[in-house]
Amino acid sequence: MHRGPLRTGEWVRLVDTKGRKHNFALVPGKKFFSNKGSVDHDDMIGREEGFTLTSTAGGEYLVFRPLLSEFVVSMPRGAAVVYPKDAAQIVAMADIFPGADVVEAGVGSGALTCSLLRAVGPHGKVTSYERREEFADVARRNVDQFLGGPDGSSHPAWSLRLGDLAEELPASGERYDRVILDMLAPWECLDAAAGALRPGGIVCAYVATTTQLSKFTETVRVHGGFTEPHAWESLVRDWHVEGLAVRPGHSMIGHTAFLVTARRMAPGQSPPRKRRRPAPGAYGPDYTGPRPADVADLGEPPTSG
């Protein structure tokens, strides 16, 4: 899909000598305009990517197809996108493998969907649930733009369903290897995820705040059918390298989201009880979230005297 001459309808990325980037779809007869003049789309269609173009005002542009990581940060958005650094962590740490059956909710703008489809390959399956029709429409256009067939067809491994995963997944009776939850309240879908996951499967939640992180993690613990959840975030920093001038970049991609993963136990099996006591006050009187039964009386703040 991403080899050979550039075709009508494909996206290209033009980068000027100052590193400014411009992304657009190729349309016969159309022109791209900037403060450096214009270039014709027809001068790009039919050529192998990796060439330079000079605009009517003398500006130079490097022309390539955008990488997936470049496409998702510039795609039209209905909802916020899952950034490449987090999508890469999900694919790696949730172990999305070729041929896997994966379900995600919600679909957002389709950024993570593209990464999941790339990872499962032609013999896998990605099923996406989205509650909001306007988000589903944006995601469908974005995924079809980047991964669809030249005739406008959708990716054969992808199914987009409008509805609530918590209600519709149990009714479907389908089983999956991985469940990815990107929503405001992923704990509301945990029972549905547990019922759909094969033993050894992985649930992965993508949440933005520490409050969401705590509630989902504790809900997984209380459920009892998953291993101890693992929570983390990733930070990415560029480096400037010119001869002996080697230093961190002036900006970095800091917090975007927290990720939590846990593995599904076999039916009727529970993970071993944690031996480490919670920190003092962890489940004290100010804590109002889910509380594992075996820590109901633990972790109270120490009293003086």
Side-chain angles (χ1 to χ4, degrees), residues 277-295:
R277 287 175 60 91
Y283 297 97
D286 294 330
Y287 176 75
T288 58
R291 184 191 298 267
D294 59 353
V295 297

Side-chain angles (χ1 to χ4, degrees), residues 35 43 69 79 106 115 151 170 201 212 217 224 247 253 258 295:
N35 61 352
D43 291 338
S69 60
S115 292
D151 58 352
Q212 293 170 302
T217 301
R247 56 172 172 75
I253 304 176
F258 299 105
V295 297

Side-chain angles (χ1 to χ4, degrees), residues 51-71:
F51 58 92
T52 58
L53 276 181
T54 302
S55 68
T56 55
E60 286 190 311
Y61 293 94
L62 187 63
V63 183
F64 278 95
R65 288 182 174 93
L67 303 174
L68 176 56
S69 60
E70 297 168 339
F71 175 77

Side-chain angles (χ1 to χ4, degrees), residues 1 139-149 152-155 158:
M1 290 177 58
R140 184 181 292 106
R141 288 194 297 269
N142 285 332
V143 175
D144 288 349
Q145 173 66 53
F146 197 79
L147 293 176
S153 60
S154 295
H155 193 291
W158 188 38

Side-chain angles (χ1 to χ4, degrees), residues 194 199-200 220-228 263-273:
V220 172
R221 289 192 177 117
V222 170
H223 183 278
F226 292 90
T227 59
E228 175 65 13
R263 297 195 72 177
R264 183 73 169 102
M265 300 291 294
Q269 299 294 307
S270 299
R273 176 179 174 180

Side-chain angles (χ1 to χ4, degrees), residues 11 23-25 66 70-82 107-112 114 134-146:
W11 274 47
N23 302 275
F24 53 86
E70 297 168 339
F71 175 77
V72 298
V73 297
S74 61
M75 63 166 51
R77 300 185 185 186
V81 302
V82 175
V107 73
S109 295
L112 179 59
C114 290
E134 62 270 29
F135 288 173
D137 290 340
V138 172
R140 184 181 292 106
R141 288 194 297 269
N142 285 332
V143 175
D144 288 349
Q145 173 66 53
F146 197 79

